[in-house]
Amino acid sequence: TWFDMGGERRADVGAGPGNAAYRRRPLSWESGGSAYVNERPVGVQQTAWNFLAVVRPSLPPPLRALLWWAPDDSASALRVPVYGGATRVPYNFRDAVGQDPAAAATPAPIADAFHMSMDSAFWVWNLVASFSYGARGAQAYARIAKACVGFQAELLARADKTDEEAVAMWEDGAFDAAVEHVTAFMDKAGADAFDRWTKLFYELFSSTRDGFSFSEADVPQCGPGETKGCTSRYVPHTDEDGYSSEWYARIVSDGDNAAHYRDLTPTGAGFGHDRLEEAKRRTLDGKRVAAAM
């Protein structure tokens, strides 16, 4: 549509080569004496936190309010359950200072909005979301959304089961046990979500580093005593997927790029670069074939 910010349905250089639906701040800017403004998407990168509130008036008081809460950008956020009657916060989601006076939760990760910690959910959620802002925007967002939908469904199902168990405890008069039950579930759900999102960051980084796209190896790594059909070191499958044809066309049309980057060698081999790369590929392919025999 006309409001597409990803540069796919409506050409927009602001989306970059990765078709990211985000823009650097500020939203308002000037060029050539004219003022312009970027649209603000529903999910924004500078979000502090986001949540969906569920109110269940038919449930016991400690269970009535259930927030599905997450730090950072709502468009890429895996949300964790937070019961209004819970008595503690999952460790990775704690803040040693707190948003308001007396709101601190300790012990907590040593981190704040500038000093990073890999123990802090705020920072891990930011790391994951940041992949959808740049040169891998659309590609990364698709993977984030898939991971989010899958694990979110699991957490929703686990919350339903926890509700049933806690209600049964409450109806039996075990009030404190019911509160501890939902609190313990929060602890476990928060820890599981933190672990899953940390692993997702690792996966996103390892699969897109250095301008390549990496995936699982075509040939397995050798185990103890193995020498056939395997490689001594793990060799992931590697793709040079570059940019889209539309982006290459934009590069060529920009300024004097057509003359600057044009391949003028008689063979069109890019001063031997392509031939060198092809030789390397053939060598590696030969080693893989030999290893598989």
Side-chain angles (χ1 to χ4, degrees), residues 27-217:
L27 293 179
S28 300
W29 45 281
E30 295 183 3
S31 180
S34 297
Y36 300 88
V37 61
N38 291 325
E39 294 91 349
R40 178 184 170 110
V42 174
V44 293
Q45 60 268 45
Q46 70 273 13
T47 305
W49 69 84
N50 68 90
F51 63 85
L52 296 173
V54 184
V55 181
R56 296 92 58 86
S58 62
L59 296 185
L63 280 67
R64 287 177 184 168
L66 176 60
L67 300 183
W68 288 96
W69 189 94
D72 202 40
D73 188 346
S74 64
S76 58
L78 174 67
R79 297 176 176 86
V80 298
V82 178
Y83 285 84
T87 58
R88 60 182 176 271
V89 177
Y91 173 75
N92 303 107
F93 294 83
R94 295 178 188 174
D95 187 336
V97 177
Q99 181 73 17
D100 298 309
T106 56
I110 301 174
D112 54 39
F114 183 73
H115 300 94
M116 183 177 172
S117 169
M118 287 300 293
D119 292 327
S120 166
F122 170 81
W123 281 107
V124 170
W125 263 245
N126 267 273
L127 286 169
V128 170
S130 66
F131 277 91
S132 61
Y133 302 153
R136 301 277 187 158
Q139 178 187 12
Y141 183 76
R143 294 183 61 178
I144 295 170
K146 182 179 179 180
C148 189
V149 169
F151 197 72
Q152 194 71 75
E154 179 183 324
L155 290 178
L156 287 165
R158 287 165 60 182
D160 288 342
K161 185 173 183 293
T162 299
D163 284 344
E164 294 176 6
E165 295 166 345
V167 168
M169 293 176 184
W170 189 272
E171 291 176 346
D172 287 341
F175 305 135
D176 290 344
V179 172
E180 174 56 28
H181 189 63
V182 297
T183 301
F185 166 63
M186 269 180 53
D187 271 342
K188 184 66 166 64
D192 291 346
F194 181 81
D195 180 67
R196 180 66 190 93
W197 235 229
T198 300
K199 290 178 179 176
L200 179 59
F201 164 65
Y202 293 159
E203 293 165 10
L204 290 167
F205 186 83
S206 65
S207 63
T208 59
R209 59 186 170 86
D210 298 334
F212 296 92
S213 289
F214 296 95
S215 54
E216 294 290 347

